[in-house]
Amino acid sequence: MKKNKLLMLVLMLTICGGTFAQELSNFWNQKPIISPEITETEVTFRLMAPEADSVKIMGGFTPTVKMKTQFGEMDVPSAVDMTKDENGLWSITMPVPAVELYTYSFIVDGLTLNDPSNILLQRDGTRYLSVLLVPGEKTENYFEANKRGDMHQVWYDSKTLGLNRRMFVYTPYGYETSGKKYPVLYLLHGAGGDEDAWSTMGRTRQILDNLIEKGLAEPMICVMPNGNPNQMAAITTKLPQSELDFRDPANRNLYVNSIVKDIVPYVESNFRVIADADHRAIAGLSMGGGHTISTANEYPGMFQYICPLSMGIWGEQPEIDDKLKGLKEAGYKMYWLACGKTDFVWESAKKLDAKLTENGLKHTFFVTEGGHTWANWRVYLNTFAPLLFK
Amino acid sequence: MKKNKLLMLVLMLTICGGTFAQELSNFWNQKPIISPEITETEVTFRLMAPEADSVKIMGGFTPTVKMKTQFGEMDVPSAVDMTKDENGLWSITMPVPAVELYTYSFIVDGLTLNDPSNILLQRDGTRYLSVLLVPGEKTENYFEANKRGDMHQVWYDSKTLGLNRRMFVYTPYGYETSGKKYPVLYLLHGAGGDEDAWSTMGRTRQILDNLIEKGLAEPMICVMPNGNPNQMAAITTKLPQSELDFRDPANRNLYVNSIVKDIVPYVESNFRVIADADHRAIAGLSMGGGHTISTANEYPGMFQYICPLSMGIWGEQPEIDDKLKGLKEAGYKMYWLACGKTDFVWESAKKLDAKLTENGLKHTFFVTEGGHTWANWRVYLNTFAPLLFK
């Protein structure tokens, strides 16, 4: 702590110029800024910015406004003014928003920044956002459980993609000592995400830890690969990307093939896994929902649990009936589709629901409020994970 | 990417108010801001902040000034002005600084923020800082190697501390399939750090991967525990801390005891480890250097490789001669002490060097320029790791 304070002092002195003594005195006497500060009824955000003319806050909990965009009319969050006190401390106190995990930013004279007093920061693709986690029934499983599983960042060779690639693998509490074999959930992220998305934004470890600790879900391994087939790993590694054009129809299913041919074999030979279809589940959101649908269709019988989230059938897919009939014939235990009613993929999800019905595939269509959001994807994981491997 | 751009659009529209059409046009036609942009000779930093009156940059590469502090006269970085163009884009171009991994921040009208265009962000205790990694011989091993090891975030029970705690464990490339047993380096962080510090700020995985790939270091496991004995894990987990007062002399060695009684046994029963003293090394920086010295002194013969970094003997330690004699008697293969000449612990390191000599303990005192910095600790790891287990 001393080191931090010294560094901050150094910083203040160098930016404040002349009046060292006064600044020094201010610095050592100032109270640390607490933000966000949450009570049972209110939450307060604070930012020290004496020179700013305008400080706003914007996040998942600020009021939404209707806006027309090229994607249609959408509810988008608005920025809310904060108030400056005589010391230059900006703040806003508001009623605690609905129980949820939110992200937010400050906007200081038009410039977006994170809350420097908040240690909880999440990377969403290329951006970092501050996190507000409101406790309550809905978010109970997003907090740390008492019995926590391990998270492994492992590298595997994908012969299909010609790359050595990284994935995150969750092993449940007790894995080291139980000697048991476990079922596996393959959990896929969406466009803009990477192998880190489900574990940070999705709170996968916390959700599975809590569900397993409560006896609601079977102890399982969860594999979170990188679904961008030209990447070896998240852009934070700065590893080069491959040049292969994955929009070329000839390469379209390469990633789906790599799941079955590279990832599943790696997991089944490096972890204590029950290596049969009854103990394999595949789920994914958005683009990963597309990967889930394709993997099920291209490799019928491989996964007995199939859970596309916030995704469906886009455009013309003349082969879809044949593919679904093939899947029906091969057999599966659960087809669990989820989508929010205001999601921009809602129509495509309804189309998948209809196609499944039309072709006689028993399934669940789990319909929620809301759109294409992590708020929904965490709920979906929390809802379908207890249904797996039973 | 589309999702990100949409979110940014939403953000811009909500913060810009009235003139939607113009903003929309500006937004979709604007080029992405690249920062930092590094060539062979120059580096440019950029920040879009049309409303700002002053934007500065401050980091490990900005000129230092002498400043008197309560810790004595120190070289501290100064903030350097950036220049605004007609579009409100602030920038600065400077010669590429000496090859190193630096952190930096922008200071906008007195407010410190990270570079929003830079995906490389490091957490140093309670702060996040942007990263500039200048390529060259010195930093060669800080980039990703071709053969990469895995990183495991594992939870273990510390009976000594009465807590279930997290540590990071690196396993070298090939660990999964080699069937071999490996030596282990226990690598300890300093005050303000946690189990994540060595892997992010220290680039431990990259350094060990590169050294092993080049045949310079023995393939080894590296264990990075949390050295704050009241913490279960880094503050980012928001787990509660224990109430035990570790400044109480009665509790002083509890963490050191937990290394030997909890951590080493956990590692030796859960990883393929050569479980003898010849294949155990302990190293640590600052507070972790203190833990290293104490562990060696309290458990002579347990670790054959002992590497305190940027630490030495503080104050009166009447027992030190007896402890060092005990260590000498028990035997060890390497005692490798490192410190920078401008480090505020320099005198204490010299005192340890003298005490080792005085008591007849063969050792290396690796002296460098510079102070109490990650720049030095990365160099030390890169230097002593090749000496281990040979």
Side-chain angles (χ1 to χ4, degrees):
Chain A
M1 294 306 287
K2 213 166 215 175
K3 196 179 123 208
N4 269 346
K5 202 143 200 193
L6 175 65
L7 284 168
M8 282 183 64
L9 167 67
V10 161
L11 190 141
M12 280 201 56
L13 291 177
T14 45
I15 64 182
C16 296
T19 54
F20 272 19
Q22 185 58 47
E23 295 298 338
L24 231 163
S25 161
N26 287 350
F27 180 79
W28 288 106
N29 294 317
Q30 91 189 7
K31 289 180 195 159
I33 291 162
I34 298 172
S35 179
E37 183 174 18
I38 191 165
T39 69
E40 278 190 21
T41 54
E42 289 180 332
V43 59
T44 300
F45 299 90
R46 298 183 179 92
L47 179 73
M48 181 59 81
E51 295 183 49
D53 295 319
S54 155
V55 177
K56 295 168 192 271
I57 186 169
M58 188 171 78
F61 48 80
T62 53
T64 57
V65 290
K66 296 265 180 222
M67 193 176 68
K68 275 185 186 151
T69 74
Q70 63 175 79
F71 302 94
E73 190 174 77
M74 298 183 70
D75 289 318
V76 299
S78 61
V80 176
D81 285 314
M82 294 170 66
T83 310
K84 191 183 197 171
D85 77 4
E86 65 280 11
N87 299 315
L89 181 68
W90 295 79
S91 68
I92 185 170
T93 298
M94 53 178 85
V96 171
V99 172
E100 185 50 85
L101 188 159
Y102 300 97
T103 55
Y104 69 96
S105 305
F106 292 137
I107 301 161
V108 180
D109 295 339
L111 188 69
T112 303
L113 67 153
N114 302 311
D115 182 346
S117 303
N118 185 351
I119 194 70
L120 287 185
L121 203 61
Q122 264 181 197
R123 181 174 61 87
D124 186 356
T126 57
R127 299 172 309 149
Y128 290 89
L129 297 164
S130 294
V131 173
L132 174 70
L133 183 43
V134 179
E137 196 180 332
K138 189 184 183 188
T139 58
E140 199 175 78
N141 290 352
Y142 307 169
F143 288 83
E144 294 291 343
N146 297 307
K147 296 179 173 178
R148 292 170 291 269
D150 296 344
M151 190 67 83
H152 312 268
Q153 303 182 4
V154 305
W155 297 87
Y156 68 99
D157 280 319
S158 171
K159 284 188 183 157
T160 309
L161 297 171
L163 294 173
N164 181 258
R165 312 188 75 222
R166 189 170 70 173
M167 58 186 168
F168 284 18
V169 180
Y170 163 87
T171 51
Y173 178 84
Y175 174 87
E176 293 71 31
T177 51
S178 72
K180 279 188 206 162
K181 294 186 171 185
Y182 293 83
V184 184
L185 164 62
Y186 295 85
L187 189 58
L188 314 177
H189 65 80
D194 52 50
E195 71 274 25
D196 188 30
W198 266 109
S199 68
T200 54
M201 290 180 286
R203 307 289 285 181
T204 299
R205 179 175 64 74
Q206 289 83 355
I207 289 172
L208 293 178
D209 280 348
N210 278 290
L211 289 173
I212 293 167
E213 182 176 323
K214 292 172 183 171
L216 297 174
E218 287 295 308
M220 67 182 85
I221 290 171
C222 178
V223 175
M224 292 155 274
N226 180 312
N228 310 306
N230 53 333
Q231 285 187 342
M232 304 167 84
I235 52 175
T236 48
T237 61
K238 296 270 177 188
L239 281 163
Q241 303 200 357
S242 78
E243 300 283 327
L244 204 60
D245 180 4
F246 294 97
R247 286 162 304 182
D248 183 334
N251 296 327
R252 209 185 51 195
N253 274 331
L254 277 186
Y255 176 63
V256 161
N257 295 342
S258 82
I259 293 174
V260 171
K261 294 181 178 168
D262 305 326
I263 294 175
V264 172
Y266 179 90
V267 170
E268 296 189 348
S269 62
N270 286 288
F271 292 87
R272 287 201 321 279
V273 162
I274 310 173
D276 62 30
D278 280 357
H279 297 89
R280 272 185 219 122
I282 188 161
L285 70 92
S286 193
M287 176 181 84
H291 291 146
T292 300
I293 296 166
S294 295
T295 307
N297 288 348
E298 299 301 321
Y299 297 91
M302 178 85 190
F303 297 87
Q304 286 286 318
Y305 299 85
I306 302 154
C307 312
L309 317 173
S310 303
M311 183 43 64
I313 296 173
W314 284 94
E316 291 306 310
Q317 294 195 15
E319 294 177 347
I320 191 71
D321 292 307
D322 284 347
K323 295 284 183 191
L324 291 180
K325 279 171 191 154
L327 179 59
K328 185 184 173 189
E329 202 169 314
Y332 59 88
K333 289 199 167 175
M334 181 174 108
Y335 203 116
W336 195 90
L337 165 67
C339 197
K341 280 189 254 178
T342 59
D343 195 321
F344 68 87
V345 306
W346 173 241
E347 290 302 324
S348 81
K350 281 205 294 189
K351 193 168 167 186
L352 174 58
D353 173 50
K355 277 286 176 197
L356 289 166
T357 303
E358 192 183 314
N359 287 286
L361 283 84
K362 198 181 160 189
H363 66 284
T364 299
F365 187 17
F366 185 74
V367 174
T368 64
E369 300 302 318
H372 212 69
T373 64
W374 276 105
N376 268 347
W377 300 323
R378 286 184 294 263
V379 167
Y380 300 161
L381 174 61
N382 206 44
T383 307
F384 77 74
L387 308 175
L388 302 176
F389 315 122
K390 284 182 173 170
Chain B
M1 294 306 288
K2 212 166 214 175
K3 196 179 121 207
N4 268 346
K5 204 145 200 191
L6 174 65
L7 284 168
M8 282 183 63
L9 167 66
V10 162
L11 190 141
M12 280 200 57
L13 290 177
T14 44
I15 64 182
C16 296
T19 54
F20 272 20
Q22 184 57 48
E23 295 298 338
L24 230 164
S25 162
N26 287 350
F27 180 79
W28 289 105
N29 295 317
Q30 91 189 8
K31 288 181 194 159
I33 292 162
I34 297 172
S35 179
E37 182 174 19
I38 191 164
T39 69
E40 279 190 20
T41 54
E42 290 180 332
V43 59
T44 300
F45 299 89
R46 298 183 179 92
L47 179 73
M48 181 60 80
E51 296 183 47
D53 294 320
S54 155
V55 176
K56 296 168 191 271
I57 186 169
M58 188 172 79
F61 48 81
T62 52
T64 57
V65 290
K66 296 262 180 225
M67 193 177 67
K68 276 186 185 149
T69 73
Q70 64 174 75
F71 301 95
E73 190 174 79
M74 298 182 69
D75 288 319
V76 299
S78 62
V80 176
D81 285 315
M82 295 170 65
T83 310
K84 190 182 196 171
D85 77 4
E86 65 280 10
N87 300 315
L89 181 68
W90 295 79
S91 68
I92 185 171
T93 298
M94 52 179 84
V96 170
V99 172
E100 185 50 86
L101 188 160
Y102 299 97
T103 55
Y104 69 96
S105 305
F106 292 137
I107 301 161
V108 179
D109 294 338
L111 188 69
T112 302
L113 69 155
N114 301 311
D115 182 346
S117 303
N118 185 350
I119 194 70
L120 287 185
L121 202 61
Q122 265 181 196
R123 182 174 61 87
D124 186 356
T126 57
R127 298 172 310 146
Y128 290 89
L129 296 164
S130 294
V131 173
L132 174 71
L133 183 42
V134 179
E137 196 180 330
K138 188 183 182 187
T139 59
E140 199 175 76
N141 290 352
Y142 307 169
F143 289 83
E144 293 291 342
N146 297 308
K147 295 179 173 178
R148 292 170 290 268
D150 296 343
M151 190 67 83
H152 312 268
Q153 303 182 4
V154 305
W155 297 86
Y156 68 99
D157 279 320
S158 171
K159 284 187 184 159
T160 309
L161 298 171
L163 293 173
N164 182 258
R165 311 188 75 222
R166 190 169 70 173
M167 58 185 167
F168 285 18
V169 180
Y170 164 87
T171 52
Y173 178 84
Y175 175 86
E176 293 71 30
T177 51
S178 72
K180 280 188 205 162
K181 293 184 172 188
Y182 293 83
V184 185
L185 164 63
Y186 295 85
L187 189 57
L188 313 177
H189 65 81
D194 52 51
E195 71 274 24
D196 188 29
W198 266 108
S199 68
T200 53
M201 291 181 285
R203 307 290 284 183
T204 299
R205 180 175 64 73
Q206 290 84 355
I207 289 172
L208 293 178
D209 280 347
N210 277 290
L211 289 173
I212 293 167
E213 182 176 323
K214 292 172 183 172
L216 297 174
E218 287 296 308
M220 67 183 84
I221 290 169
C222 179
V223 175
M224 291 155 273
N226 180 313
N228 309 306
N230 53 333
Q231 285 186 343
M232 303 168 84
I235 52 174
T236 47
T237 62
K238 296 272 177 184
L239 281 162
Q241 304 199 358
S242 78
E243 299 283 328
L244 204 60
D245 181 4
F246 293 96
R247 287 162 304 181
D248 182 335
N251 295 327
R252 211 186 48 196
N253 274 332
L254 277 187
Y255 176 63
V256 161
N257 295 343
S258 81
I259 293 174
V260 171
K261 295 181 179 169
D262 305 325
I263 294 174
V264 171
Y266 179 90
V267 170
E268 296 188 349
S269 62
N270 286 288
F271 291 86
R272 286 202 322 278
V273 163
I274 311 173
D276 63 30
D278 280 356
H279 298 89
R280 271 185 220 122
I282 188 161
L285 70 91
S286 193
M287 176 181 83
H291 292 146
T292 300
I293 296 166
S294 296
T295 307
N297 288 348
E298 298 302 321
Y299 297 92
M302 178 87 188
F303 297 88
Q304 286 287 318
Y305 300 84
I306 302 153
C307 312
L309 317 173
S310 303
M311 184 42 65
I313 296 173
W314 285 94
E316 292 306 309
Q317 295 196 15
E319 294 177 347
I320 192 71
D321 293 308
D322 285 346
K323 294 284 182 190
L324 291 180
K325 279 170 192 155
L327 179 58
K328 185 185 173 190
E329 202 169 312
Y332 59 88
K333 290 201 167 175
M334 180 173 110
Y335 203 116
W336 194 91
L337 165 66
C339 198
K341 281 189 254 179
T342 59
D343 196 322
F344 67 88
V345 306
W346 172 241
E347 291 302 325
S348 81
K350 282 205 295 189
K351 193 168 169 188
L352 174 58
D353 173 49
K355 278 287 176 196
L356 289 166
T357 303
E358 191 181 315
N359 287 287
L361 283 83
K362 197 180 161 192
H363 65 285
T364 299
F365 188 17
F366 184 75
V367 174
T368 63
E369 301 302 318
H372 212 69
T373 63
W374 276 105
N376 268 347
W377 300 322
R378 286 184 294 262
V379 167
Y380 299 161
L381 174 61
N382 206 44
T383 308
F384 76 74
L387 308 175
L388 302 176
F389 315 122
K390 284 182 174 170

